[in-house]
Amino acid sequence: MSSSRTGRPPVQRAARRPVVPRPPRENALRALVIRARRAWDRPLTAYYVVLGGSLLITVLGLVMVYSASQITALQMSLPGSYFFRKQLLAAVIGAVLLLVASRMPVKLHRALAYPILAGAVFLMALVQVPGIGVAVNGNQNWLALGGSFQLQPSEFGKLALVLWGADLLARKQDKRLLTQWKHMLVPLVPAAFMLLGLIMLGGDMGTAIILTAILFGLLWLAGAPTRLFAGVLAVAALLGAILIGTSENRMARLACLGATEPQTGPVDCWQAVHGIYALASGGIFGSGLGASLEKWGELPEAHTDFIFAVTGEELGLAGTLSVLALFAALGYAGIRVAGRTEDPFVRYAAGGVTTWITAQAVINIGAVLGLLPIAGVPLPLFSYGGSALLPTMFAIGLLIAFAREDPAARMALAMRQPRFGRKRIRGSQRPRRWNTMRRRAPGARSSGER
């Protein structure tokens, strides 16, 4: 054995390990999408999205109502917070209705369908009685409640059609009668046309469009054949064309599409053009909360139908996109609730409520953007108006109740431990494993199926 110069034995070096190539890193964007899908597939996601999204829209709407209505109130010799206080009172009452509706069982919701329909029809007919009904902006669709409080019964007609139509279609589906076209149309379509007739007697074309959208949503969910669906759509389009063509006011609103000047010939497009001006002057982040210039008498109905324009001017593109994202999340959560249930009433009612809120938001925002005619409908949960806010918040309570009724959601809620008043035993809490709704209910339909 040879030795080194120092007399020490040579050091035996370890053999080098073979270099193993590292696995390629997963795409960060793809991993984020997968995590988002897993989070969205949790049992209580729809419940939290509906509750949180609706509350955020309502709170932001209160802020914008206070900002947009101050100048209008001062011009009417009223306190600057006059409209805000009335909207806040309506929001508090609506929150109570939301809580009550979210805790009511499905059977009780079905039992309330006929009383709500009868009450809505009675109030809508009462509007046409001279001395009782009140005309606002040319539409005879209000009831005076005393003082400065008024009620618009047609807003409750939307809720009545959703509940009654869902209960009717669910009972017919249980008896397997929806395969016959006469059972699908009668008495749903005649009752809807009766509500539309009472609304049109007052001249409220915007609410009639929303009611028609709810009717089409219910027929689509019931699986109406294409020919039947197209036939009802053709009749509704013909009636709408006749009603628009026979009214100078409605023809003037239609002529303002794409207008860039307040006065275009004999048609005055002041409101539509100044709504575009408000959105254009907002920029990315807006001029600041309360710093709108269009609300100083330039933009009519700044705190009601055109509150989205004031939002764009004060909060900019970021604020308007946030509002759109909240409505999109609320609509998608409603579709998920309707698509993943085995109860036909829940499917029809959730789909009707989602159609109602989504269609009304699209019509209002489309009118502000100049893409649709001005229909005179408020932005749900956002615009000023207690008559529109109360039934909408009750409808949101319906979605919350339906989201809680899902078997996977009920199990997840039962597994939740209270934070206070109960000591947790150390070591007894195992990591919670979330089961998705698809695994928990393999027979449920996906959100995109009819």
Side-chain angles (χ1 to χ4, degrees), residues 360-373:
Q360 187 165 329
V362 168
I363 291 174
N364 177 276
I365 296 174
V368 174
L369 295 176
L371 303 176
L372 296 175

Side-chain angles (χ1 to χ4, degrees), residues 56-62 64-65 87 303-304 307-308 311 315 323 327 379-384 389:
L56 285 175
I57 295 173
T58 305
V59 172
L60 183 57
L62 286 172
M64 294 311 304
V65 165
Q87 185 74 356
H303 60 297
T304 54
I307 193 171
F308 188 76
T311 304
L315 303 182
V323 175
F327 275 110
L379 189 58
L381 301 171
F382 201 83
S383 297
Y384 169 79
L389 184 62

Side-chain angles (χ1 to χ4, degrees), residues 20 38 45 153 157 173 214 224 246 253 279 319 339 345 365 378 421 426:
V20 180
R38 290 177 180 175
T45 300
Q173 180 174 334
I214 295 174
T246 55
R253 293 184 179 184
L279 290 172
F345 172 78
I365 296 174
R426 184 174 300 178

Side-chain angles (χ1 to χ4, degrees), residues 10-328:
V11 178
Q12 299 291 334
R13 296 183 178 181
R16 293 183 179 181
R17 297 181 179 179
V19 179
V20 180
R22 295 183 179 181
R25 293 185 179 181
E26 190 177 3
N27 189 0
L29 181 59
R30 184 179 179 182
L32 183 62
V33 171
I34 293 176
R35 292 181 61 183
R37 287 181 178 178
R38 290 177 180 175
W40 178 253
D41 208 28
R42 291 185 177 184
L44 294 177
T45 300
Y47 169 76
Y48 288 130
V49 170
V50 173
L51 178 61
S54 59
L55 291 181
L56 285 175
I57 295 173
T58 305
V59 172
L60 183 57
L62 286 172
V63 174
M64 294 311 304
V65 165
Y66 180 67
S67 175
S69 65
Q70 287 182 350
I71 307 304
T72 303
L74 294 175
Q75 290 175 346
M76 300 172 61
S77 301
L78 297 171
S81 60
Y82 174 78
F83 293 104
F84 168 74
R85 286 181 294 175
K86 292 184 64 176
Q87 185 74 356
L88 180 61
L89 176 62
V92 172
I93 299 175
V96 175
L97 292 177
L98 185 148
L99 180 61
V100 171
S102 64
R103 294 294 180 176
M104 289 169 55
V106 175
K107 292 183 179 180
L108 186 54
H109 285 301
R110 300 187 67 170
L112 290 177
Y114 282 87
I116 292 178
L117 177 64
V121 170
F122 174 74
L123 293 177
M124 290 167 66
L126 199 63
V127 168
Q128 306 304 323
V129 177
I132 299 179
V134 178
V136 177
N137 294 331
N139 293 336
Q140 183 81 15
N141 54 1
W142 295 82
L143 290 175
L145 301 181
S148 61
F149 293 94
Q150 295 177 343
L151 180 68
Q152 188 176 5
S154 58
E155 293 291 340
F156 294 88
K158 305 172 187 176
L159 178 62
L161 180 60
V162 167
L163 286 177
W164 178 79
D167 178 69
L168 176 68
L169 293 175
R171 286 189 288 108
K172 290 195 173 188
Q173 180 174 334
D174 292 338
K175 298 178 181 180
R176 299 181 180 180
L177 297 176
L178 292 181
T179 55
Q180 306 176 26
W181 68 268
K182 59 180 180 180
H183 284 288
M184 184 173 292
L185 296 182
V186 180
L188 176 63
V189 175
F193 280 6
M194 177 190 64
L195 293 175
L196 289 172
L198 291 173
I199 292 174
M200 290 308 301
L201 284 176
D204 190 357
M205 188 71 180
T207 305
I209 294 175
I210 305 301
L211 219 65
T212 306
I214 295 174
L215 173 62
F216 287 147
L218 291 175
L219 290 177
W220 185 82
L221 289 169
T226 305
R227 290 180 297 176
L228 184 63
F229 198 83
V232 177
L233 181 61
V235 173
L238 179 62
L239 293 176
I242 294 175
L243 292 172
I244 293 175
T246 55
S247 174
E248 295 182 1
N249 184 27
R250 299 189 186 107
M251 288 298 296
R253 293 184 179 184
L254 192 63
C256 288
L257 288 177
T260 57
E261 295 294 335
Q263 187 74 24
T264 57
V267 180
D268 187 6
C269 301
W270 182 274
Q271 187 180 28
V273 172
H274 277 273
I276 299 296
Y277 288 171
L279 290 172
S281 60
I284 302 297
F285 299 105
S287 58
L289 190 63
S292 170
L293 298 179
E294 290 293 333
K295 68 182 179 182
W296 286 78
E298 298 293 334
L299 180 62
E301 306 296 336
H303 60 297
T304 54
D305 300 343
F306 272 70
I307 193 171
F308 188 76
V310 179
T311 304
E313 185 179 5
E314 295 188 350
L315 303 182
L317 181 64
T320 54
L321 290 181
S322 299
V323 175
L324 291 176
L326 289 174
F327 275 110

Side-chain angles (χ1 to χ4, degrees), residues 417-436:
Q417 297 290 337
R419 293 185 178 182
F420 302 101
R422 193 172 184 178
K423 295 182 179 179
R424 295 184 178 182
I425 303 176
R426 184 174 300 178
S428 63
Q429 297 294 332
R430 296 181 178 179
R432 185 179 301 174
R433 181 179 180 181
W434 291 94
N435 291 321
T436 65

